[in-house]
């Protein structure tokens, strides 16, 4: 008789959602977490009332009503709408690409004018099958937008020239011929009131959690505790890298408290020029403070994001989904399928980048598959 029905390795959104569903059905769960806190990358650090997204900005968005109702039953969400800006050598452009962007780029005022320019610039790729990201981007939105808002930003993000990146990284680029700066088209969008720790705490309420525990080092003891293991860590690490290491991009964050109430007037500003080594600046206050409420606190906290190559000991963020890495990930997935009483799920275990809502959906699906 095992002590627990489930040992959940990792207290990020996938593991915490799975544990919550299991606990609601009377299952005995234990969550172990390598970090000193729960929540994975959605963990927030409280700086005198500002909830700093310590591992990068997270904006919850979904059109799945079941998922939206699920999270709002746990904690109410605010009305935050993601409307990022792009700064290119001091010029500001609205994102995503919409009529405001095209007016800022070319001075056009009508959808037809914007369409004509984009069509004219796309013509240089007519009859050519894109062989790299640069060609793919130009074939979608033309050279002006590519060179101003995509090229240097993408090269910072991936650490490689766009001519050396595969075209599938940019399968499509939405062109919206309306004056709408809402980045997402989902029906629901917002931030948990009080920060994401409120959501994690609600998911893990009444569930035993051990932080500072490295499953890989202590698996001999830990795997004896439960009938089934859910592993949400890096899949190659689980198998001791026996087939080789998967490649990742990671991010170094530079957090700074400033003695000003309002630094950039927006939560997210991308820096698309190569002259800045960071890709964007996040001003966390704007996720939860709106209008004049921003000035209630006389200080602010910003975070600069510096993409870099991942090395052992760093936090993996973005999978390098080229042909070689995807093939290696598929080989690891086959090893995972052969495991007995172990399930794998989440960004690290599946070697795929996920937004938050799809992670919750996948955790729900897996739980119901294991408990029909």
């Amino acid at each position: 008789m095992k002590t627990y029905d489930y040992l959940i390795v990792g207290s990020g959104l996938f593991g915490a959602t799975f544990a919550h569903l299991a606990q609601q059905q009377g299952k005995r769960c234990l969550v172990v977490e390598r970090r000193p806190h729960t929540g994975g990358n959605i963990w927030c650090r409280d700086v005198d009332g500002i909830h700093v997204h310590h591992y990068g900005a997270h904006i919850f968005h979904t059109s799945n009503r079941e998922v939206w109702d699920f999270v709002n039953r746990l904690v109410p969400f605010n009305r935050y709408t993601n409307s990022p800006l792009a700064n290119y050598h001091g010029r500001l452009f609205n994102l995503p690409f919409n009529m405001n962007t095209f007016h800022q780029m070319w001075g056009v005022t009508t959808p037809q004018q914007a369409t004509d320019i984009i069509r004219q610039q796309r013509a240089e790729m007519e009859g050519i099958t894109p062989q790299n990201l640069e060609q793919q981007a130009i074939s979608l939105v033309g050279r002006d937008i590519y060179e101003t808002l995509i090229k240097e930003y993408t090269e910072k993000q991936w650490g490689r020239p766009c001519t050396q990146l595969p075209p599938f990284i940019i399968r499509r680029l939405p062109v919206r011929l309306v004056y709408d700066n809402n980045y997402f088209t989902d029906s629901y969008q917002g931030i948990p009131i009080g920060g994401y720790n409120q959501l994690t705490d609600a998911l893990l309420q009444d569930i035993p959690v051990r932080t500072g525990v490295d499953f890989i080092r202590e698996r001999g003891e830990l795997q004896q505790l439960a009938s089934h293991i859910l592993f949400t860590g890096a899949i190659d690490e689980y198998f001791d890298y026996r087939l080789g290491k998967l490649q990742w991009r990671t991010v170094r964050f530079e957090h700074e408290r400033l003695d000003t109430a309002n630094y950039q007037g927006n939560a997210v500003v991308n820096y698309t020029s190569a002259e800045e080594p960071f890709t964007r600046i996040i001003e966390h206050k704007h996720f939860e403070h709106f209008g004049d409420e921003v000035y209630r606190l006389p200080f602010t906290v910003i975070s600069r994001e510096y993409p870099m190559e991942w090395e052992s000991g760093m936090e993996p963020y973005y999978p390098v989904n080229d042909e070689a890495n995807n093939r290696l990930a598929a080989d690891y997935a086959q090893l995972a399928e052969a495991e007995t009483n172990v399930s794998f799920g989440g960004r690290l275990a599946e070697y795929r980048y996920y937004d938050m809502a799809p992670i919750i959906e996948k955790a729900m699906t897996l739980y119901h598959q294991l408990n029909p």
Side-chain angles (χ1 to χ4, degrees), residues 79-85 93-104 108-111 114 174-187 189 266:
R79 55 86 168 170
Y80 175 78
T81 300
N82 192 32
S83 302
L85 293 169
F93 298 89
N94 289 106
L95 299 175
F97 307 142
N98 69 81
M99 283 302 300
N100 288 307
T101 319
F102 308 141
H103 176 71
Q104 293 151 352
V108 298
T109 57
T110 69
V175 173
R176 301 179 188 169
L177 298 172
V178 292
Y179 290 91
D180 183 2
N181 298 323
N182 185 356
Y183 194 83
F184 301 118
T185 59
D186 294 291
S187 302
Q189 172 177 185
N266 204 51

Side-chain angles (χ1 to χ4, degrees), residues 303-324:
S303 298
R304 298 177 183 88
E305 299 185 5
Y306 298 82
M308 56 196 304
E309 289 292 325
W310 174 86
E311 296 178 1
S312 295
M314 296 179 176
E315 185 64 31
Y317 274 86
Y318 305 107
V320 181
N321 290 124
D322 58 19
E323 184 177 344

Side-chain angles (χ1 to χ4, degrees), residues 11 13 16 20 38-39 42-46 49-53 70-78 191-205 288:
S11 65
L13 202 49
H20 176 82
T38 60
I42 67 172
W43 179 74
C44 293
R45 179 168 51 89
D46 191 324
I50 297 177
H51 303 114
V52 175
H53 296 205
F70 172 77
V71 295
N72 275 269
R73 282 195 298 269
L74 296 166
V75 56
F77 278 59
N78 68 20
I191 304 286
I193 295 175
Y196 280 99
N197 295 356
Q198 301 295 321
L199 176 60
T200 301
D201 290 347
L203 286 168
L204 295 175
Q205 185 176 357
E288 298 182 67

Side-chain angles (χ1 to χ4, degrees), residues 146-170:
Y146 165 69
E147 292 189 347
T148 304
L149 301 176
I150 299 173
K151 181 182 186 299
E152 295 169 53
Y153 181 91
T154 303
E155 290 178 346
K156 287 192 292 186
Q157 184 76 19
W158 291 100
R160 297 158 177 81
C162 287
T163 53
Q164 296 179 15
L165 291 170
F168 68 76
I169 291 179
I170 297 183

